[in-house]
Amino acid sequence: ANSPGARAAEARFEAKEIRSYESEYVNALWHLDFHHGSLRVLRPDGSWTYPLLLGILDDHSRLCCHMQWYLAEGTRELCHGLGQAFQKRGLPRAILSDNGSAMIAGETVQGLTRLSVLAENTLPYSPYQNGKQESWWNQIEGRLLPMLEGEAAELSLERLNYVSQAWVEMEYNRKAHRETGQSPLQRYLEGKDVGRPSPDPEQLEQAFTKERIRTQRRSDGTVSLSGVRFEVPSRYGHMERLTVRGSSWSQGRAWLCDPKTGDILSRIYPQDKVKNASGKRTPRSPVGEQQPETPKPGVAPLLEQIIREYAATGLPPAYLPGPEDDADEQL
């Protein structure tokens, strides 16, 4: 290619040397990418299609954290596979991928940021930066797919995924790697792990969303997101502009969040005009109305602690009784 990006990559390649690298710790760096498979699958409607494989590898151990075949390489598929990898292996420190549309989508970038995972992208026209991932495709095309040629006439996506999971867990992850001399699983278990526990599935779903600002419609208390109108709880009815989070593929699920901290405030639901036609309405509470707090009996906990510490010194109170105190004693 003679594009500006290709010329810049060529100049960079000629100006600076290329060196192999490896992360020192387990879960310090993951690689991920999509690969166009060479074996067709039969879809339920009777058509044939070539699936795409999402592969996620740990840099230090070469362990396959997760692999799954999809019919597309969109943001939905990427976040779906990433969520499974996180639940299997934990959260890594960083992820390296190319500049595909799914990798730089708002749901992916914002989701990794919320999970405190550093998202790094390779330079354009520089696939050697993700060389371990490119090398792993040889295992797929040279080892896995040839063993499925006997089922090529009726191979389905479900069958391909089932077989792939068995192969990667029972053969690839347990077989000695040519460079490390250890199996990826053994190297993964024996290495120093800098990963973190994965959130639960619901938190992962909330993380892989895109944050947008929407103006609340005062007439019926709704906001519009991806062409769907959501009803805002009445306690937020006084707010003109709201921060809403949702994904492009799950149009029926959205959340209100704090614009400063990003914390989830409430889930909002699509407007149901048929249900609203019943005439049932929830009473609206005045904005800022709070129930008065009833003070608890006794002194405050902090003051009680101070009194105990003062009494533990064994010293008498550092004050002289006043005339009022003497009068009380005389009575």
Side-chain angles (χ1 to χ4, degrees):
N2 194 30
S3 63
R7 292 195 297 268
E10 183 178 357
R12 183 173 57 251
F13 183 84
E14 295 177 353
K16 295 184 178 181
E17 58 187 8
I18 305 299
R19 290 287 182 264
S20 299
Y21 65 92
E22 179 182 282
S23 295
E24 185 177 359
Y25 304 107
V26 170
N27 287 330
L29 176 65
W30 284 6
H31 301 270
L32 68 85
D33 199 3
F34 280 98
H35 171 72
H36 291 258
S38 60
L39 203 61
R40 299 185 303 173
V41 295
L42 184 63
R43 303 181 66 173
D45 60 0
S47 61
W48 291 94
T49 187
Y50 287 94
L52 299 102
L53 174 62
L54 172 63
I56 305 174
L57 300 180
D58 176 61
D59 184 84
H60 177 79
S61 63
R62 274 64 161 189
L63 182 85
C64 178
C65 301
H66 182 66
M67 64 176 292
Q68 187 164 348
W69 297 88
Y70 295 98
L71 298 180
E73 53 179 330
T75 310
R76 180 179 188 177
E77 289 74 19
L78 176 59
C79 294
H80 180 264
L82 266 176
Q84 294 178 80
F86 291 159
Q87 294 177 75
K88 286 181 178 180
R89 317 296 179 183
L91 295 177
R93 297 288 175 157
I95 290 180
L96 181 63
S97 63
D98 60 18
N99 293 274
S101 58
M103 288 70 169
I104 61 176
E107 290 87 348
T108 305
V109 175
Q110 294 183 26
L112 293 177
T113 301
R114 295 186 186 105
L115 297 172
S116 299
V117 177
L118 181 62
E120 297 281 2
N121 299 109
T122 59
L123 296 172
Y125 301 95
S126 304
Y128 53 83
Q129 292 185 321
N130 217 0
K132 297 182 182 68
Q133 186 78 43
E134 299 297 331
S135 177
W136 189 67
W137 302 137
N138 296 331
Q139 296 278 343
I140 303 300
E141 296 294 342
R143 179 65 177 170
L144 173 61
L145 295 188
M147 292 191 291
L148 287 168
E149 291 179 351
E151 294 191 10
E154 53 184 14
L155 184 63
S156 64
L157 183 66
E158 181 181 2
R159 175 65 175 171
L160 179 58
N161 272 317
Y162 179 82
V163 172
S164 298
Q165 294 299 321
W167 171 81
V168 76
E169 295 294 347
M170 303 306 296
E171 178 174 302
Y172 171 77
N173 282 343
R174 300 173 186 267
K175 184 179 179 181
H177 195 275
R178 177 174 53 86
E179 290 188 11
T180 65
Q182 295 178 289
S183 68
L185 184 59
Q186 179 184 3
R187 190 173 172 87
Y188 183 90
L189 295 175
E190 294 180 356
K192 295 181 179 180
D193 190 354
V194 296
R196 292 164 292 134
S198 170
D200 59 48
E202 184 177 358
Q203 291 176 320
L204 288 174
E205 181 187 10
Q206 294 174 358
F208 287 112
T209 52
K210 187 176 180 180
E211 189 173 295
R212 282 160 284 192
I213 305 297
R214 290 293 183 266
T215 300
Q216 181 176 183
R217 192 162 71 170
R218 293 302 182 90
S219 60
D220 58 356
T222 61
V223 293
S224 180
L225 186 67
S226 300
V228 179
R229 192 161 290 281
F230 290 84
E231 294 181 341
V232 178
S234 60
R235 61 181 178 273
Y236 303 110
H238 63 287
M239 301 175 64
E240 180 179 357
R241 298 178 65 81
L242 299 168
T243 303
V244 186
R245 277 166 51 179
S247 58
S248 58
W249 58 86
S250 184
Q251 298 184 354
R253 295 178 65 85
W255 296 266
L256 293 180
C257 64
D258 191 310
K260 295 182 179 180
T261 64
D263 295 337
I264 297 294
L265 299 177
S266 173
R267 183 182 171 185
I268 54 178
Y269 295 87
Q271 187 180 46
D272 190 345
K273 294 185 177 181
V274 175
K275 185 177 180 180
N276 292 342
S278 64
K280 295 182 180 180
R281 298 292 185 269
T282 302
R284 191 192 303 272
S285 301
V287 177
E289 179 181 353
Q290 297 181 355
Q291 297 294 333
E293 296 184 0
T294 303
K296 297 181 180 179
V299 300
L302 177 59
L303 182 57
E304 184 178 356
Q305 178 184 352
I306 294 174
I307 294 173
R308 289 198 304 266
E309 294 175 352
Y310 187 78
T313 62
L315 299 175
Y319 80 103
L320 294 176
E324 297 81 1
D325 298 324
D326 294 337
D328 293 338
E329 291 180 359
Q330 293 175 2
L331 293 175

